[in-house]
Amino acid sequence: TENLKTPKQDQYNMDSPLRDWSHGLFSCFGDMGACCYASFCPSCAGGEIWDQGELSIGEWAWWGGCCLYLVLIENGFCCLYGIMYTGQIREKRGIEGSCIGDCITGTCCHC
């Protein structure tokens, strides 16, 4: 679902100041549907984030994001998940943060 990780704004204007995520790290508990989706089917949520975050374009974007999530998480590369998913969305949408923060978040809270 869109509210898992992606901010609600469409594109970042380079002249605008950096902003925060529209939902905090633990705010998914406010939307139990999104919380259950990310907890019980995290690869599907990863695919949806990849697709809706426009991290790749095409009809296979969801599948690519889903498979990439599975490969990274199942092989213990949680840090790369934070960098590849969260980092790209953060940079694309002008959200304040760092690669180190993305790595720590991806490692500690990868759903």
Side-chain angles (χ1 to χ4, degrees), residues 66-85:
C66 181
C67 292
L68 184 60
Y69 178 90
L70 283 172
V71 168
L72 292 174
I73 299 302
E74 292 299 319
N75 291 303
F77 297 109
C78 301
C79 183
L80 289 178
Y81 168 79
I83 293 169
M84 293 181 74
Y85 280 71

Side-chain angles (χ1 to χ4, degrees), residues 9-102:
Q9 303 294 328
D10 287 330
Q11 288 294 84
Y12 173 62
N13 181 349
M14 296 300 278
D15 297 329
S16 301
L18 293 176
R19 55 186 176 215
D20 288 330
W21 292 100
S22 60
H23 300 282
L25 186 57
F26 297 107
S27 68
C28 68
F29 295 111
D31 181 353
M32 287 309 294
C35 182
C36 289
Y37 183 59
S39 296
F40 297 113
C41 193
S43 60
C44 295
E48 193 167 333
I49 291 166
W50 193 263
D51 185 34
Q52 290 184 1
E54 298 175 353
L55 301 178
S56 64
I57 298 173
E59 62 185 69
W60 293 96
W62 185 90
W63 286 104
C66 181
C67 292
L68 184 60
Y69 178 90
L70 283 172
V71 168
L72 292 174
I73 299 302
E74 292 299 319
N75 291 303
F77 297 109
C78 301
C79 183
L80 289 178
Y81 168 79
I83 293 169
M84 293 181 74
Y85 280 71
T86 311
Q88 286 186 45
I89 291 172
R90 186 179 45 74
E91 288 179 18
K92 190 173 192 173
R93 305 286 172 93
I95 298 171
E96 193 170 359
S98 68
C99 184
I100 293 171
D102 296 338

